[in-house]
Amino acid sequence: MSTTGTNGMPRRSFITTMAVGGVGASLAAAGSARAAGITPGDAAILRFVAAIEQVEWDLWQQYAELVNNNPAFNKAMTSIDPDMAAYVQQNTNDEFSHQAFLNDYLISLNLEPVDLDPFRNLPSSPATGAEQVGRLTNLMNLNVDTSWYFRYRSSGNPDFGNSFGQVVKIVNRPSIPLRDNYTANQILAIANTAVLHFSTVEQGGTSLYPELSLKATSLEVLRVLAGIGSSEAWHFAIWDDDAGNLPAVNSGDGLVFPPPPQANKVFPTPCTFISPTLPRCAVARPTNPALNGPKAVVKFFTQMNLFSGQVSGFFTTLNQLAAAAEAAQRQI
Ligand SMILES: [Fe+2]
Ligand SMILES: [Fe+2]
């Protein structure tokens, strides 16, 4: 297994690889002082997002390898957006930074980090460009929920019971090339699936962090959640824009993309927020724990087939982290 992450950055924690003493000791001392304000609920929230960010980094890493190094996929993705390879690499780098920061932040507070590396056992795509290493996530037979497309283009809010249809029905389809000899329409349909999957994942993060922020007690933990959460919204906005650029295509093997409706309506349409009696407001939604809390996020990823083939221990670990974070409550 590789010991380096994206762009050669070390996968392993900076702090854990340091000898006890020197800079490590002073970081730990500073952390102990800050840790005084951290509740068990705060720790559970941090550990859950550390796990989710490892999941995100794993899937983005697969996309980055294939967009950069698979010529047919690169061509199809670049036809959607000439900046695609750069954007995918930057999103991947951001996810690397999120999981690396969160684990070292936990360690700096003398809290236990989360390591999903033992579950990196899923296969890589055999297509040109993919490193042959174990993966946490499976991008080979995804169910991609695209209801966010209409949710953010309407004044509805799931927190108030609104629901939305699919812009295209993507069931049991790959979002990465699984071989090298696709037709032009087939690889374009895979590229379209990838872009909608990017948005699906990032809209989830965009809702998750504000939801978790409501449970944080420590102001510093709240600062961490707000800071990372705003970058997830940044990711989502870019992919939502590209989702409006997707070319209409018939894969010829069962997947038909229509021209995207309301293509350039990419800013969040003001919606009902807090109370229907208040003016509509442009916000991330949902932020209701029942709809996008930790347990709901794990269920969403699981139903997406993102963890298809994972061992039961993986689900046990993730569900335990989600349950602990779900139970966190703000202490005043
Ligand atoms: Fe992230
Ligand atoms: Fe993200």
Side-chain angles (χ1 to χ4, degrees):
M1 186 178 294
S2 168
T3 55
T4 58
T6 306
N7 286 349
M9 289 184 278
R11 168 178 285 173
R12 290 295 173 190
S13 148
F14 169 69
I15 294 174
T16 48
T17 53
M18 291 187 62
V20 176
V23 178
S26 58
L27 277 173
S32 295
R34 295 201 323 271
I38 306 261
T39 66
D42 288 338
I45 290 168
L46 292 169
R47 298 190 78 234
F48 176 68
V49 289
I52 289 299
E53 294 292 352
Q54 286 170 56
V55 166
E56 268 203 285
W57 175 47
D58 180 86
L59 69 90
W60 275 108
Q61 180 63 28
Q62 296 187 58
Y63 284 126
E65 290 169 16
L66 285 156
V67 172
N68 286 325
N69 301 320
N70 183 289
F73 193 50
N74 177 279
K75 185 178 173 193
M77 293 290 265
T78 306
S79 76
I80 296 168
D81 184 335
D83 290 323
M84 187 64 80
Y87 289 175
V88 167
Q89 187 62 58
Q90 288 167 46
N91 204 140
T92 307
N93 295 352
D94 286 5
E95 306 310 352
F96 175 86
S97 80
H98 290 166
Q99 57 88 35
F101 173 85
L102 286 163
N103 259 350
D104 272 9
Y105 181 63
L106 281 160
I107 293 166
S108 80
L109 298 170
N110 295 322
L111 296 169
E112 190 185 352
V114 177
D115 182 7
L116 296 181
D117 279 2
F119 301 111
R120 291 184 187 277
N121 295 317
L122 296 179
S124 292
S125 167
T128 296
E131 286 183 44
Q132 294 307 303
V133 295
R135 310 289 184 175
L136 282 179
T137 62
N138 186 332
L139 302 175
M140 300 184 186
N141 48 21
L142 292 178
N143 305 319
V144 181
D145 176 8
T146 59
S147 59
W148 53 266
Y149 189 95
F150 291 119
R151 187 200 319 151
Y152 276 105
R153 284 168 173 77
S154 85
S155 58
N157 183 342
D159 289 338
F160 289 86
N162 299 122
S163 58
F164 309 90
Q166 302 291 316
V167 66
V168 57
K169 202 166 183 189
I170 302 175
V171 177
N172 199 20
R173 304 291 305 201
S175 60
I176 51 173
L178 305 182
R179 52 185 170 85
D180 284 342
N181 55 344
Y182 290 109
T183 65
N185 280 5
Q186 283 174 331
I187 195 73
L188 192 53
I190 292 170
N192 280 2
T193 301
V195 171
L196 291 172
H197 186 236
F198 298 168
S199 315
T200 298
V201 168
E202 298 301 330
Q203 65 80 28
T206 298
S207 276
L208 175 66
Y209 279 91
E211 190 276 320
L212 291 174
S213 297
L214 300 174
K215 299 165 179 276
T217 299
S218 152
L219 203 54
E220 188 174 87
V221 171
L222 181 58
R223 185 180 184 183
V224 169
L225 297 173
I228 295 178
S230 58
S231 81
E232 301 297 348
W234 209 315
H235 298 162
F236 171 58
I238 293 291
W239 303 124
D240 187 27
D241 189 13
D242 272 344
N245 291 340
L246 296 185
V249 63
N250 183 338
S251 71
D253 59 8
L255 184 56
V256 178
F257 288 87
Q262 300 177 281
N264 63 359
K265 197 173 183 186
V266 297
F267 291 89
T269 303
C271 67
T272 307
F273 185 49
I274 305 295
S275 166
T277 62
L278 290 167
R280 287 174 178 163
C281 189
V283 290
R285 67 268 202 179
T287 52
N288 177 335
L291 296 177
N292 209 75
K295 287 183 179 176
V297 166
V298 172
K299 186 177 173 192
F300 183 65
F301 279 160
T302 303
Q303 290 179 339
M304 185 190 288
N305 281 345
L306 189 65
F307 304 135
S308 180
Q310 269 292 2
V311 296
S312 63
F314 173 83
F315 293 101
T316 303
T317 300
L318 207 53
N319 285 327
Q320 284 174 347
L321 291 166
E326 189 97 12
Q329 290 192 330
R330 184 165 187 238
Q331 312 284 309
I332 302 178

